[in-house]
Amino acid sequence: MKPSPTARRALAVATAGLLLTTGCGGSSHASQKPSAPGGLGTSGSTSANAPAAAATEAVPADLQQFYDQKPNWTSCTSESSGPGWTCAKITVPLDYSDPAKGTTYIMATRKAATGPADQRVGALLLNPGGPGGAGIAYAQDPSVVTKNVAAHYDLVGFDPRGVGQSDPIRCLSDDTAAMDEFVSADPMPRTDAQVAEVVKESQAIGKACEQKSARLLPYVGTPNAARDMDVIRAVVGDTKLHYLGKSYGTYLGAVYAGLFPHNTGRLVLDGAIDPTLTAKQMNIAQAQGFEKLIREFAADCVTQSGCPLGTDGTTAVDKLMTYLQSLQDHPVPTHDANRTVNYALGLTAVLQVMYVPQYWGDLRDALSAAMNGDGTRLLQWADLYNDRTDSTYDNQTDANIAINCLDRPDPDAENAQQIENKEVPDYKSQAPLLGEMLAWADLSCATWPVKPQSAPAPITAAGSAPILVVGTKDDPATPYPWAQGLAKQLQNGHLLTFNGSGHTAYTRGSQCIDNAVDAYLLQGTVPPAGITCDVSP
């Protein structure tokens, strides 16, 4: 069956984090929904108000005007925003090191705390992940935080610079035909002709970005987005930043804490990224995580009536991958006479559903329909992943590649020949199903028009307030060791573990996780060391 609008919206929120690229584009880019019954006690806990952030970081004189601005908050124009939400445009410098270079803008949304004014904690800034994830629509979804948190915090969402409504980067997303071609490019090219086509598509997006967005392109990296967050903190009237970031949003939050440790309030980093990892290390870990879920999906499928992969668990994965690969030469038609599902789109659909296992039944139906000549359902899942709606794309893919190529390009992916001869064999040896796809993921960055501005490095955030890091044991997009790594690096990091599957943990059905995060956000209580939450019954 086709996912209902409600289900599609829930899944979009549930997968709003680190996006795994299946086309020929940039680095992998992945967010939420499933503890022990009841709550967590405070035994052995520490206070998130413990001494650490004694004074707010000083604002340089040439940046003071940005911190002092009073934007005009008016009713949001989007019909989906719901009652109580206001929106505003916040001006920020293109380059914080040289504000004279000009400005850009951040669109933000805010809803006042629903509880009594005397119980308000402050504003809670929200980020869904990406990079390239739009934060305005995310913040306005009522499932993002619990009702108790919404009662005590003003909720604030924002589209990071270059994303969505915030002076968006444009490369191919404003040309539907070109973006259709880009996301349909062979994810695992084998012949010289296929490699040449992937190279052409990878170069095309960089050239288009330079042509359409050259002014903003050098300034969309995560450190500038983190600095924007500090301006937003001041604009909403808080001396400390309270923040919930998921997936890539954990990296954004960690970078913020590293830049402004004394401005940290209560930071929740859910589905964490380890900032010391290289692009290659991240790609391989993600490939392995998604392979594990694909195998689990196949094993579950063969136990279900009408499984399109048969009844033999030892051959089900091979049948799935062989079928998807066959779509490259024999794409399956859809209800749209102008669109078919090829290998890239079919694989994208499968990976999209892997983020949230409760939709595996729908994937079985979609695969059955496709194997019987109708790829419409697979195309719907691929379009959901690629943010294609009514023949238009949002700019998430454009922004994702632009940000990743500044933040974390793979220096070993210098050209197609090096990827094909060196990287592909290495990736495949560690991730035989998806490694080859991820080996090609950084090809766009090899010819990107702007040089990288960051490199993997530990973030300690010395002097920060306690920071809560949440990791899910069976998370394919942000593997659990990444959360362990970040929590260990942070001088005042505290790890909360969810013994479940899927991407991220908070508001995904685990009462134990929700109680622990809420206790931290509302009372400043850090959960006891070593705490693990199981799936709620």
Side-chain angles (χ1 to χ4, degrees):
M1 66 178 182
K2 178 181 177 179
S4 68
T6 300
R8 286 171 62 82
R9 181 167 177 80
L11 186 65
V13 171
T15 59
L18 199 66
L19 299 172
L20 190 69
T21 301
T22 56
C24 56
S27 304
S28 46
H29 51 201
S31 259
Q32 37 221 16
K33 256 191 164 238
S35 36
L40 283 172
T42 57
S43 175
S45 63
T46 58
S47 172
N49 293 320
T56 302
E57 307 280 348
V59 177
D62 58 356
L63 298 178
Q64 193 65 54
Q65 60 177 313
F66 301 103
Y67 281 76
D68 290 343
Q69 66 185 294
K70 305 296 181 185
N72 184 28
W73 294 88
T74 60
S75 295
C76 301
T77 57
S78 171
E79 294 181 359
S80 63
S81 59
W85 288 96
T86 57
C87 291
K89 180 186 289 187
I90 299 171
T91 302
V92 293
L94 266 179
D95 184 349
Y96 278 86
S97 66
D98 187 1
K101 287 183 179 178
T103 63
T104 183
Y105 62 88
I106 305 299
M107 290 301 299
T109 188
R110 179 175 64 179
K111 184 176 184 179
T114 59
D118 61 353
Q119 295 180 18
R120 178 183 177 274
V121 177
L124 182 66
L125 194 61
L126 305 166
N127 182 272
I136 290 178
Y138 175 77
Q140 293 172 350
D141 189 293
S143 68
V144 169
V145 298
T146 65
K147 290 182 179 180
N148 204 17
V149 168
H152 291 81
Y153 279 95
D154 296 349
L155 302 181
V156 179
F158 69 107
D159 288 353
R161 58 169 58 204
V163 174
Q165 301 177 47
S166 295
D167 200 1
I169 288 282
R170 289 295 179 189
C171 307
L172 298 179
S173 59
D174 55 353
D175 182 341
T176 299
M179 184 59 86
D180 280 347
E181 188 173 353
F182 182 79
V183 300
S184 298
D186 192 339
M188 303 185 196
R190 305 286 173 82
T191 68
D192 290 345
Q194 290 169 343
V195 170
E197 181 65 21
V198 167
V199 170
K200 185 189 79 170
E201 292 298 328
S202 296
Q203 293 173 341
I205 194 165
K207 291 176 181 177
C209 280
E210 187 173 29
Q211 179 184 5
K212 300 173 185 178
S213 301
R215 175 178 176 270
L216 185 59
L217 208 57
Y219 306 108
V220 295
T222 298
N224 277 327
R227 292 182 173 95
D228 293 340
M229 286 167 51
D230 201 53
V231 172
I232 296 171
R233 171 198 58 76
V235 165
V236 299
D238 281 358
T239 57
K240 305 294 182 184
L241 179 78
H242 306 301
Y243 176 76
L244 169 63
K246 296 204 169 188
S247 200
Y248 160 80
T250 68
Y251 179 60
L252 178 59
V255 170
Y256 177 88
L259 291 170
F260 304 101
H262 297 295
N263 292 1
T264 56
R266 298 169 187 173
L267 273 63
V268 179
L269 308 181
D270 183 9
I273 291 175
D274 183 340
T276 66
L277 297 178
T278 65
K280 183 174 182 177
Q281 289 173 319
M282 291 178 65
N283 287 343
I284 290 174
Q286 282 192 316
Q288 292 169 336
F290 278 91
E291 286 185 9
K292 182 176 183 292
L293 282 185
I294 286 173
R295 291 188 174 94
E296 290 176 359
F297 163 75
D300 176 75
C301 183
V302 299
T303 68
Q304 307 294 328
S305 175
C307 172
L309 306 180
T311 58
D312 186 352
T314 63
T315 61
V317 172
D318 287 342
K319 285 186 177 180
L320 173 62
M321 300 307 292
T322 299
Y323 172 71
L324 293 174
Q325 290 163 6
S326 75
L327 296 177
Q328 189 61 31
D329 295 324
H330 305 286
V332 64
T334 71
H335 289 178
D336 184 336
N338 297 313
R339 302 185 69 200
T340 59
V341 174
N342 68 354
Y343 183 16
L345 293 176
L347 183 56
T348 297
V350 170
L351 294 176
Q352 166 71 3
V353 184
M354 289 303 104
Y355 279 99
V356 188
Q358 58 260 48
Y359 287 91
W360 285 2
D362 192 273
L363 179 59
R364 289 195 304 272
D365 292 343
L367 287 168
S368 293
M371 291 177 182
N372 284 288
D374 183 3
T376 303
R377 297 176 186 179
L378 285 181
L379 185 62
Q380 290 166 354
W381 288 115
D383 283 352
L384 182 61
Y385 184 95
N386 289 322
D387 292 290
R388 189 188 195 273
T389 307
D390 298 329
S391 300
T392 62
Y393 286 89
D394 73 10
N395 84 318
Q396 179 166 271
T397 297
D398 291 344
N400 172 267
I401 296 173
I403 295 166
N404 272 326
C405 288
L406 293 184
D407 279 2
R408 201 187 298 259
D410 185 355
D412 294 327
E414 293 181 351
N415 53 58
Q417 184 178 14
Q418 185 176 23
I419 292 173
E420 187 174 20
N421 295 335
K422 181 178 181 297
E423 296 299 287
V424 166
D426 193 11
Y427 273 73
K428 287 181 68 175
S429 69
Q430 299 178 70
L433 297 182
L434 301 175
E436 185 174 358
M437 177 189 77
L438 271 296
W440 288 100
D442 270 335
L443 184 58
S444 291
C445 294
T447 57
W448 198 247
V450 182
K451 292 183 178 180
Q453 299 170 353
S454 302
I459 296 175
T460 61
S464 77
I467 297 172
L468 183 60
V469 179
V470 185
T472 298
K473 282 285 187 72
D474 199 9
D475 185 332
T478 51
Y480 180 66
W482 296 5
Q484 293 175 302
L486 177 60
K488 186 175 181 179
Q489 288 166 44
L490 292 168
Q491 187 182 81
N492 209 345
H494 302 264
L495 180 63
L496 172 64
T497 299
F498 174 45
N499 187 26
S501 62
H503 187 38
T504 75
Y506 183 56
T507 68
R508 290 192 57 238
S510 167
Q511 194 62 51
C512 173
I513 289 289
D514 292 355
N515 288 347
V517 172
D518 284 5
Y520 170 76
L521 288 174
L522 299 176
Q523 286 87 42
T525 302
V526 173
I531 191 71
T532 296
C533 290
D534 292 322
V535 179
S536 295

